[in-house]
Every structure is written in C-alpha cells, then in structure tokens.
Amino acid sequence: MRTLRRRVRALLPYLVLGLVSGSIYGLTAMGLVLTYKTTGVFNFAHGAVATGAAYLFYELDAKRGLPWPIALALAVALIALLGGPLMEAIGSRLRRVPVATQVVATIGLLLAIQGIVVAIFGAVAMPFPAFLSSRTVRLPGVFVGIDQIVVFGVAAVLAVGLFVFFRSSRTGLSMQAVVDNPDLVGLRGTSAVRVRTVAWMVGLATAALSGVLLGPSVGLNAPFLTLLVVQAFGAAAVGGFASLPLVYVGGLLLGVAAAIAQKYVPGHQFLEGVPSSLPFAFLLAMMLIAPGRLARRTTGGRVPPPPARPLPPVVRRFGPVVVVGLAAAVPAVVGTKLPIYAGGAAYVVLFASLALLVRTSGQASLCHAGFAAVGASSFSHFTHGAGLPWALGLILAGLVAVPVGALVAIPAIRLSGIYLALGTFGFGVLLQQLVYRTHFMFGRSGPLPVPRPAGLDGDVAFYYVILTIAVLTCLVIAVLTRQRLGRLLHALADSPLALGAQGVDVNVTRVLVFCISAFFAAIAGALLAALSGSVDVAPFDPFQSLLYLVVLAVAGSGQLRAPVVAAALLAVVPAYIAGSDTLATYEPVVFGLSAVAIALAEGSRGELSALVRRGAERGRARIARGPAAARLERAT
Amino acid sequence: MTSGLAVESLTVRYGGLVAVDDVSLEAPTGRITGLIGPNGAGKTTLFNASNGLVRPASGRVRLDGRDITRLPLARRAQLGLGRSFQRIELFNSLSVRQNVELGREGVLAGSMPWRQLFSRRSEQRTVAAAADEALVVCGLETFADRPAGALSTGNRRLVELARILAGGFHMLLLDEPSSGLDDRESERFGAILTHVVREREIGILLVEHHMELVLSVCHYLYVLDFGKLLFEGTPQDAVRSEVVRAAYLGTAA
C-alpha cells in the first residue's frame, strides 16, 4: 500500500506536466475541429501556424522588447485577423477541388510557413523567453509552477469558452448549420462567408495561442511545433473529429499519456518513440474501435479533376524516346554533376510510384519516405549484410516493402480523403519513431554501408544502371495503368461505390495499388542509398513524404511526365541555380506556395466549369420548353 | 425456388429508428416490380440492405434462392445483382464508353488481385461487345466518346443504366431512375426497361416517384409507408386501393 502511494506520488509531477501540455493540445484540437467542421477544409498547416506565432512572439517580446501581454495579444490578433479572411479566400476555392488536392494545398501551406520561419530565424532550435513566472507553489504531494497553472488555466478556460460559443452564440450556431447547408444559412440573413471567416479566425487564434503557450516548454523548435497538428488530430480522433468536449478530453489524455510514457522511457531504448507516436496510436485505436465515427465523407459537389491535357501525337509517340535518349547522353555533357542526375533518375522511380497512388487512384499517401527507408535499409542488410547478389538484393528490398504497403492500405480500406492522408502520415511517423532505430532497419551503430553493383560501380556505369531501372519502372507502370488495373484505379478515384456495385472488391484494388507503389518506392530508396554509398535515417524523415507529394503536384499532369518533371525539380534544377545553399532554405517555400497556387487555380476552374454547366442546363431546359418560351425569356 | 430477388421479414434500424419494418417482397426475373411510397418510407434503405450497403437487424435477402444477407457489396454484384443510385454514381472523368465498359470489366475483375491486374484478350472482346450492345440499347452511341461528367442529367441516367446492362446482371435494383428527367425522357427510359426485361428475361426492382412510368411499366407493385409494407398487388389494384390513395397517391396528386 505504501509503495503504491509512493509510486503514485512519483507519477504526480508527470501528471502535472501532462495536464499542462494536454490542455494546450486539447485547445488546439478544438480549433482544428471547429474550422474543419465549419469550412470543410482540413488545415494541415494548423501546427505551422503555431510555429509562426511562437516565432512572431519571440520577435516581438525578446527582440523588440514589448511587454509579453502586448506581444502575445499582437501575435495572436495579427494571425487571426489577417489569416482568417485569407484562409476563407483560399478555403472557398479548395472546397471545390478533390480532397487529394485539398491535402496537397494545405500541406503546401505548412511547408511554406515552416520554410519562411526557418529562412528568417534559422533551423537551429532556440530557447524561448520564459514570460511567465517560474516560481512554484506546493500542492498536496507535488510542486507546481505558477506558469504551469496559468497555462493550464488559460487553455482550459478558453476551451470551455469555445464550447459555449459554439453551442449558444448566434455565430456558433450558424457554424453548425453552415456545414450542412451553406445556402440555407444565407437565406436566414447570415452570410456563410462571414461565418466561415469567423471559424477560420477562431481556429487560427487557438493555433497561435497554443504555439506561444507551448513555447516555454519546448523552445523555438520549428519542426516540433509544426507537428503540433499531429497532436491535435490525435486528440481530435478521440472526439471523432466532431464532439468538442471529447476532443478536449482527448488532448488531456494524450498529454498525460505522453508525459507518463516519458517517465518510463529512459533505459528502454525500444520505448523511445512511444511518446511521440501516441497521437497515431489514438487515431488507429479510434479507427478500430469506432470506425463509424470517422466514416467516409462523400465528395458531393466536387468537380472532377481536369483530364490530362493530351499532347500532340508526335510528342506522345517520340517524347519518351527523346527523353531517354537525352538522359543517355547526360554523362557526356554534365561532367562532375553526374551523381546529381543519377539521383534524379532514382527520384523518377520514387515519383512514378507515388503518382500511381495519388494521381491514378486518387488516394493521398503520406508515407512514401517510410517505404523508401524500408527499401534502403533492407537493401543494405541483404547485400552488405547477407552478401546476396546486388540485383537480387534490390528486388528483395522492394518485396520487403510490399507487406508494409499492405499494412498502410488498411486505413485506406476504412478511410478516405483527409483521414486517409492523416492515417498514412501517422503510419510514416510511427515507422520512424518505433522501427527506424531497431536493428531491422537502421540500428544505432551509425550509417549502414550500401554497395554498388560489382564491376558497375564507376559513376558513369552506375548512372546507366539507375537509368535502366528507372526506364523499366516507367514501362511497368505504363503497362499496368493501360491494363485493367489502370481502368479500375481511375474508376476508383471517381466513385468507389459504383465500382463496388459493379462487382469489384475495391479493398483488394486499394491494397494492390499500395503494394505496387511501396515496392517501387523501396527500390528508389535502395538506389538513392547505393548512390551515396551509405545510408542513415536523415533522408527519410516523414516530412520528406509531404515534400514529395507537393513537388509531384507542382510537376503538372501526365502519368509519367509528372514524375520526370518532379524528379528534375527536386534533384537536378537546384544544382544549377547560383547560391543554391540559400536556395535550399527557400525550396520548401517555393514548392509549398506553388502547390497552393495550383490548387487555387483548379478551384477557380471548378467554379467556371460549374457555371458553364449550369448555363448549358438552363439553355437545354429553355429549348425543351419550346421556342416561344425561349423568346419570352429573352425578352424579359 | 424462383430466380430473382426475395426479401424475407427484413428489418433495418438506424439507432432507435426503424427504417424498414419486417418487410417481405419478391422481385422475380422476367418482370418489373415497382416499389413506391412517400419520401422516407424506407425504399432506398431496403435497396441498401438488399445489395450490402447496410446491415439489416433481422430478416434475409435471397438471390435465386441463395441467402446473400451477409455477403459484401461486390460479392452480390458478382452473383448477378446490379444497382443504380438515386444520386447518379458515374466515373465522371472517364468517357461514356469507358463507363459502360467498366460495367462488364468490373464483374470480370471481381475480387482476385491477379484478375484485377490484367484482362485476357477474349475478355477484352467480351467487354467491347457488351459495351457496344448496351450503348445501342440506351441510344448513347453518339455520346460514346464524351466525358460522362459533362452530360445532362437525362443522359447520365442512361449511362448508368447502360453500365449496369453491360454488366450482364440478371437482377437490377433501380433507384428513382427518372428523377431529373422530363416526361419525354422518362417515357424513353420506360421503353428501354420494358425492352430489356422482355429480351433478356432479367428482373427489375424499381423505386420510382414518377407514377405514370410506374403504372405503365410495372407488372406488380409494393407500397411502403413508414418502413412498413402497406399494399401489394397489380398497378390497377393499387390505383383503386383506398389505403394506397390515402398514404401516397392522394398526397402526390
């Protein structure tokens, strides 16, 4: 009994820590869910907004010397008041595009905001000004910091306030209505645009506030703060992405669970990743316990994606030949830059596999870096470790990723759209946190050596090896998409329901395409590893998956053209721009903003084509009613 | 044992609400069976339970005498149960011909991964032939190469019907196929239905609000109200029935 009491007492400080951070997670998650429910757009950049706010506060408070209450108010107000109308302008266009494009756009926003912060303040984490008193008071059994009490209290009060606002104020009630039927809200004299703008402002304000409140405990750490969105959707999952009080409770649970895990982690290496992977554990648990709550949202009212603009027949027939011919001539021209092109060829494999999922079947996958990591590490084990022949090792490395792909496809069976994107991203993070460092993958004893094929290990020879594999990959994918699978995938992207009603087991299709995609992504990972000679975890950060998706979106249309362009954009072009070191910092900003711009253009196009279609239907109806009616209508 | 669809004492609940309450009906092949009733009577729910989108609380669904109550959507389609949707479900980015081809392609692809990857040459011929025939039956030849998303509602309904006809199903569930069509279009739609039932000996279970269409094509009628079966009989009897008038025809007229 006494030992139990002592144990509980030893846990108390962690409980306090957990409640404090959990309260912030809960508040952020409520903001996220509120905007999502009201505007229909899931903001992946929610955490990036928190990052931006934390740095802005730092600038105003520590550098400009403003008193902290003013700095805090200014930072939150600036972000909410400027960001709200901006996000409504963006969001209103995004509602018309397919969910996959929505995901790309807000991820682009995430990359851009984080990129700007890193470009201005640098990538190194900095200490955050401790703006609250750090004196402690003694509560029964535990010392609690005044700052902790204030942070917990502020977040809790705001959470309650948010709930009351949503439940009883006129604007809050309109928010509930606007999701179901924006036109109806308009009829009752409330502008749907205004309601959504307010929702964005509230959401952004919670994110900004959370960033500043979290700052003192985590420091100015851009990637970490940006991942706050991950904590937020872990908490949101507990509330089924719907119930605000449950979402807040989810935040508290998440904070406490992570803090208590923190206590037990030291000394258990394999537990190290547990705290940061908890949000996904929550999400996965929700998927298993109550899949109905995360049911697929229908994509009604969305315009179909634009059909790929067909190229002139000459280009279509000879284009690939010319591209391959040029690629074959590269070693004679580029000199010492050859390894860059070799990397580009490997990225073609990666992007082709990603395009198969995202473009053809309309499913957003955000764990491609994970597939590549599986390929790279197991390739090292097969060749360097087990001494298998190079080519055999490569194929085996691809095959190892196949069951991993099937595993990721499980969320794809139950979820679609935004939840699928979250689920796959979550899987990528879980993989990084829990498996990357085990001896199955990279282990802990430094980079893994990765050989090149014997006799073909010169830069030129190895370039041709990679190029050959890239061409083969493209051929295989071209054949697959022209065969039955390709037709099924296109149909799947449009209407899984209709496809199922025609007798196709669409779950088999989904698993199949994830397996094929994972196979090629793993091959790409292995090739990139062999190119650099050794491999470690750094290149396979889950954030890379976000960048891949965004770059592919920027690269335009075409089953194989887009992967080639994307590989060139990511791997080759930067090497030719002067001062590419500074460029590297702005790269995510450029890609991110381009992705947003492209999604917006598509949204506006949707507006146009919807107008044209309505006009045509009206015209048709007029003709059906006869010439006299049409004349009459024209006259009035 | 008759071939066709039979629903036996089917009950579907949504939470506390009973959407379909102990309903039994039969829709044999070779005739068009109508299922009518006011909005919210449970017609679409009955369809969803019949083809596997909703799990019933109790009761059975049989296709050609075989119990299919627990089979998934795709499996029921493979056994010959086709379905159209109240909110038209087309592959909007594909052409009309590709949509219709997918009708047969889907049945052939089925559930096996290998079958979903590749098609045999003979299958490709089957698919093309089935699509050609369905396009002709529905009078869509001239639209074959247009994107399905760009057509008028009337033609989109026809594309959905053509896709199901190409699938070679012998039992069709059609959910308000004439909604959004003008009188001329729904007359044409009815003619196509009568034609295919006669030619192919298939069965149709038709949910429909357009009474003229129902009375002119259906051989037998079931009337649902508040989830309960209110009436069954020939269309002529239905028109004469006081109960049906009160519940449905009265309010519709």
Side-chain angles (χ1 to χ4, degrees):
Chain A
M1 195 63 206
R2 185 167 293 167
T3 52
L4 182 70
R5 191 177 298 164
R6 199 179 305 140
R7 279 208 184 143
V8 170
R9 185 161 292 185
L11 273 180
L12 275 180
Y14 291 94
L15 188 67
V16 171
L17 268 179
L19 284 175
V20 171
S21 50
S23 192
I24 305 176
Y25 298 158
L27 178 66
T28 325
M30 284 173 77
L32 182 71
V33 169
L34 189 96
T35 27
Y36 177 47
K37 280 178 76 175
T38 311
T39 67
V41 176
F42 187 94
N43 186 13
F44 258 96
H46 198 68
V49 172
T51 310
Y55 277 85
L56 186 59
F57 177 79
Y58 167 78
E59 173 75 25
L60 295 172
D61 180 55
K63 282 195 167 162
R64 302 280 162 98
L66 290 180
W68 73 261
I70 297 182
L72 176 66
L74 211 57
V76 173
L78 266 179
I79 287 175
L81 295 179
L82 294 181
L86 182 69
M87 286 308 293
E88 165 55 16
I90 294 176
S92 65
R93 283 171 181 78
L94 289 188
R95 265 193 307 283
R96 299 173 180 281
V97 301
V99 183
T101 315
Q102 260 183 33
V103 171
V104 167
T106 59
I107 287 177
L109 218 52
L110 178 159
L111 291 177
I113 296 175
Q114 188 178 312
I116 289 169
V117 166
V118 168
I120 297 176
F121 296 95
V124 186
M126 294 182 290
F128 196 84
F131 60 94
L132 293 169
S133 162
S134 54
R135 278 193 310 123
T136 55
V137 290
R138 197 189 148 84
L139 293 186
V142 62
F143 285 99
V144 181
I146 299 223
D147 51 348
Q148 289 179 317
I149 295 175
V150 171
V151 168
F152 176 83
V154 167
V157 166
L158 285 175
V160 172
L162 204 57
F163 176 64
V164 171
F165 164 74
F166 190 64
R167 263 302 168 79
S168 31
S169 81
R170 190 181 157 80
T171 310
L173 289 172
S174 307
M175 280 180 185
Q176 299 180 33
V178 86
V179 198
D180 299 329
N181 195 337
D183 300 332
L184 208 61
V185 174
L187 281 180
R188 294 206 40 208
T190 317
S191 148
V193 174
R194 197 186 64 85
V195 170
R196 284 196 297 257
T197 309
V198 172
W200 276 114
M201 293 202 290
V202 170
L204 293 173
T206 62
L209 202 65
S210 308
V212 178
L213 292 180
L214 264 186
S217 50
V218 302
L220 282 172
N221 181 340
F224 191 95
L225 283 168
T226 300
L227 279 178
L228 182 61
V229 70
V230 168
Q231 312 284 350
F233 73 70
V238 175
F241 287 83
S243 153
L244 289 182
L246 277 182
V247 165
Y248 182 73
V249 171
L252 290 183
L253 282 178
L254 200 56
V256 170
I260 287 177
Q262 209 86 56
K263 171 177 161 48
Y264 292 107
V265 162
H268 303 277
Q269 278 188 339
F270 68 99
L271 284 178
E272 207 170 56
V274 168
S276 42
S277 47
L278 278 172
F280 300 106
F282 276 45
L283 185 72
L284 292 177
M286 271 307 288
M287 276 165 39
L288 295 177
I289 298 168
R293 306 201 68 168
L294 306 181
R296 299 161 179 282
R297 283 172 68 118
T298 49
T299 52
R302 292 221 167 80
V303 289
R309 206 172 296 135
L311 295 167
V314 184
V315 179
R316 225 178 326 166
R317 183 165 306 167
F318 298 108
V321 182
V322 172
V323 170
V324 172
L326 286 176
V330 158
V333 188
V334 299
T336 56
K337 285 203 161 71
L338 188 59
I340 290 165
Y341 283 87
Y347 272 114
V348 169
V349 177
L350 185 91
F351 281 117
S353 75
L354 185 60
L356 184 68
L357 263 183
V358 179
R359 286 297 173 75
T360 318
S361 75
Q363 308 185 86
S365 158
L366 293 175
C367 64
H368 249 58
F371 296 147
V374 168
S377 55
S378 46
F379 182 56
S380 168
H381 294 313
F382 286 131
T383 50
H384 179 80
L388 294 178
W390 197 84
L392 180 64
L394 189 67
I395 290 172
L396 287 178
L399 289 178
V400 168
V402 167
V404 181
L407 205 60
V408 181
I410 292 173
I413 287 174
R414 291 226 158 142
L415 309 172
S416 70
I418 188 68
Y419 299 125
L420 173 61
L422 291 174
T424 54
F425 184 55
F427 189 87
V429 175
L430 273 184
L431 201 64
Q432 180 208 28
Q433 298 290 346
L434 297 179
V435 194
Y436 274 18
R437 280 298 176 201
T438 64
H439 63 272
F440 296 110
M441 287 184 72
F442 297 100
R444 292 167 186 279
S445 46
L448 298 174
V450 185
R452 293 184 182 186
L456 296 168
D457 50 356
D459 273 358
V460 175
F462 191 51
Y463 170 77
Y464 282 115
V465 170
I466 298 185
L467 182 63
T468 312
I469 295 170
V471 171
L472 280 176
T473 302
C474 289
L475 279 176
V476 170
I477 289 184
V479 167
L480 284 179
T481 49
R482 250 154 251 197
Q483 260 293 339
R484 177 176 285 164
L485 182 70
R487 290 189 286 274
L488 295 184
L489 291 179
H490 281 295
L492 184 68
D494 280 349
S495 172
L497 180 59
L499 197 59
Q502 290 302 140
V504 179
D505 189 332
V506 290
N507 293 338
V508 173
T509 321
R510 289 191 174 108
V511 173
L512 197 60
V513 66
F514 263 96
C515 289
I516 295 170
S517 187
F519 175 82
F520 285 112
I523 299 265
L527 291 177
L528 285 168
L531 186 66
S532 61
S534 68
V535 66
D536 204 353
V537 293
F540 304 112
D541 191 279
F543 271 104
Q544 286 296 314
S545 304
L546 305 184
L547 186 65
Y548 296 153
L549 187 72
V550 163
V551 172
L552 184 67
V554 172
S557 58
Q559 182 73 53
L560 295 175
R561 195 169 11 128
V564 172
V565 174
L569 284 177
L570 186 70
V572 180
V573 172
Y576 282 89
I577 297 175
S580 45
D581 281 354
T582 40
L583 182 89
T585 29
Y586 284 102
E587 201 179 68
V589 183
V590 172
F591 285 131
L593 290 180
S594 314
V596 177
I598 286 169
L600 291 184
E602 199 179 308
S604 312
R605 189 193 62 87
E607 250 159 57
L608 265 178
S609 72
L611 263 179
V612 169
R613 196 163 48 203
R614 269 202 297 277
E617 293 250 316
R618 222 173 284 141
R620 218 176 56 88
R622 222 176 272 165
I623 292 163
R625 263 179 278 134
R631 259 203 308 280
L632 193 70
E633 216 155 88
R634 260 201 307 274
T636 50
Chain B
M1 183 209 79
T2 49
S3 73
L5 184 78
V7 170
E8 298 167 3
S9 319
L10 193 78
T11 300
V12 182
R13 289 200 184 90
Y14 293 127
L17 184 90
V18 184
V20 174
D21 190 359
D22 194 25
V23 170
S24 300
L25 57 80
E26 274 182 38
T29 51
R31 78 179 191 192
I32 302 180
T33 309
L35 178 61
I36 62 172
N39 280 323
K43 304 179 299 285
T44 298
T45 303
L46 189 122
F47 267 26
N48 287 345
S50 300
N51 85 327
L53 291 174
V54 170
R55 178 159 286 203
S58 63
R60 293 190 184 290
V61 181
R62 291 182 190 277
L63 186 66
D64 311 328
R66 173 177 176 168
D67 188 348
I68 59 167
T69 318
R70 301 273 152 192
L71 295 184
L73 173 71
R75 198 69 199 95
R76 299 186 201 207
Q78 290 159 22
L79 292 174
L81 187 64
R83 160 90 195 255
S84 81
F85 295 89
Q86 194 177 345
R87 275 182 42 186
I88 314 172
E89 291 281 344
L90 290 183
F91 309 121
N92 283 328
S93 57
L94 303 181
S95 75
V96 168
R97 166 171 276 283
Q98 285 170 322
N99 266 274
V100 178
E101 282 179 345
L102 270 161
R104 179 53 68 88
E105 190 103 53
V107 176
L108 293 171
S111 304
M112 301 304 291
W114 185 252
R115 311 266 304 136
Q116 293 199 357
L117 277 174
F118 301 107
S119 48
R120 283 189 227 111
R121 202 150 286 237
S122 63
E123 289 178 346
Q124 287 168 14
R125 277 195 298 273
T126 318
V127 168
D132 283 337
E133 195 197 333
L135 285 170
V136 171
V137 168
C138 297
L140 286 167
E141 304 98 309
T142 47
F143 297 102
D145 295 321
R146 298 265 294 277
L151 299 184
S152 70
T153 306
N155 281 325
R156 285 163 60 76
R157 292 266 180 221
L158 284 173
V159 174
E160 203 181 23
L161 178 65
R163 188 180 66 204
I164 299 166
L165 291 179
F169 305 110
H170 65 270
M171 185 69 222
L172 310 185
L173 306 176
L174 304 183
D175 199 349
E176 294 193 32
S178 88
S179 85
L181 307 195
D182 61 30
D183 289 348
R184 199 171 42 84
E185 283 171 327
S186 45
E187 200 176 304
R188 191 170 135 216
F189 204 95
I192 296 172
L193 295 187
T194 312
H195 170 79
V196 292
V197 167
R198 206 175 40 225
E199 291 287 305
R200 302 189 182 185
E201 274 291 304
I202 61 173
I204 293 181
L205 182 58
L206 178 70
V207 161
E208 191 47 74
H209 275 310
H210 195 289
M211 283 314 290
E212 262 175 64
L213 181 65
V214 171
L215 295 178
S216 68
V217 303
C218 290
H219 303 107
Y220 201 77
L221 268 189
Y222 289 92
V223 183
L224 271 186
D225 194 20
F226 293 111
K228 286 203 171 73
L229 202 58
L230 197 67
F231 171 87
E232 62 167 291
T234 62
Q236 292 73 28
D237 291 343
V239 177
R240 281 191 293 264
S241 157
E242 288 296 323
V243 206
V244 176
R245 271 170 187 275
Y248 185 69
L249 294 172
T251 55

